[in-house]
Structure formats: C-alpha cells, structure tokens
Amino acid sequence: MSFYELLLVLHVLAAFAFVAAVVVFWTMTVVGLSGARAGGGLYATLARPANALVAVGAIFTLVFGVWLAIYVDGYELWDGWIVASLILWAIGSGTGERAGRKLGQPDAFLDPSRRRQGILLQVVATAALLGVLVLMIFKPGA
C-alpha cells in the first residue's frame, strides 16, 4: 500500500465515521419526535458516544483531506471544489454542534420552538455534509 492509498483510506474511514454519527443523530431525532420522553432518554444514552464519533470523524476527515490535497500533485488547497468543501465542512460542523446543543437539552422535544430550531440546524448540517460528499465524489473542475 502506497502512502497516498493510506491517506485516502484514512480519509474515507473518517468520512464514514462522520456520516455514521449524523445517521445516529437523525435516528435519535426521529425517536424523539415519535415520543418526546423516549427521545430525551435516547439522547442522554447515545449523545456522548455519538459526539465522540462525530468529533473523530470531522477532525480526521479534515486532517487527512487537507493532507491529501497537499500530497497529491494534481490538487491544490485553493482548488474551487476543495475550498467549497472546506466551507461546507465548517458550516456542517458548526450547525451540527448547535443542533446537538439544542436537541440535547432536557425536554427539548417537548418545547416546539427548541425542537424546530434544532431540527432546522440539523437539516442544514446534513445538507452541508451531503454537499461535501458530492464535491468529494465528482471533484468539479479537477
């Protein structure tokens, strides 16, 4: 295995962890919507491991992605699709963190305003993550 392949595998594994964490948070949200009390208990149980998974996934995806952009001769950090990916990564990470704070509060699903804000933030974070995935797969302009 070459060094490039190692960096790529680590980058993709970190991306899988990031996406898996988003799926866990959406699962907790759907359960919370179906039963507010059950959602609060599920958040209390799964929030810590899911937060760790999203942190590891987000940080290592960024680190190995930037490393790949520097290492590969055909890519530069200022390529449009890489810059757009970094911006979407920052938007997704920031709004996802805020969504977790809103929805992770006690009885968040009982308060319609908090629930609505948290879900909206989570939708924005998910859309940003999907945008990054599209850019990583198709690499427009590369």
Side-chain angles (χ1 to χ4, degrees):
M1 178 181 287
S2 69
F3 187 65
Y4 164 77
E5 290 170 333
L6 176 65
L7 287 176
L8 186 60
V9 165
L10 293 173
H11 179 64
V12 170
L13 283 173
F16 274 114
F18 200 5
V19 170
V22 171
V23 170
V24 168
F25 280 113
W26 271 113
T27 302
M28 292 189 303
T29 301
V30 169
V31 169
L33 289 173
S34 65
R37 293 281 178 217
L42 186 64
Y43 257 88
T45 304
L46 293 179
R48 181 165 285 171
N51 282 334
L53 187 63
V54 79
V56 167
I59 291 168
F60 284 126
T61 299
L62 179 66
V63 168
F64 291 121
V66 168
W67 199 343
L68 275 167
I70 293 168
Y71 183 77
V72 175
D73 288 333
Y75 303 144
E76 300 295 337
L77 278 176
W78 51 85
D79 288 347
W81 65 276
I82 294 175
V83 171
S85 296
L86 292 171
I87 291 168
L88 287 174
W89 178 92
I91 291 169
S93 297
T95 55
E97 188 270 333
R98 287 184 59 210
R101 272 194 280 133
K102 288 272 186 201
L103 295 174
Q105 294 174 355
D107 296 330
F109 288 97
L110 297 175
D111 180 1
S113 174
R114 252 191 298 175
R115 181 179 61 228
R116 189 174 29 259
Q117 290 173 353
I119 291 173
L120 179 61
L121 288 167
Q122 195 163 334
V123 167
V124 170
T126 303
L129 178 60
L130 290 175
V132 171
L133 288 173
V134 168
L135 288 170
M136 290 292 116
I137 292 169
F138 296 106
K139 297 173 182 48

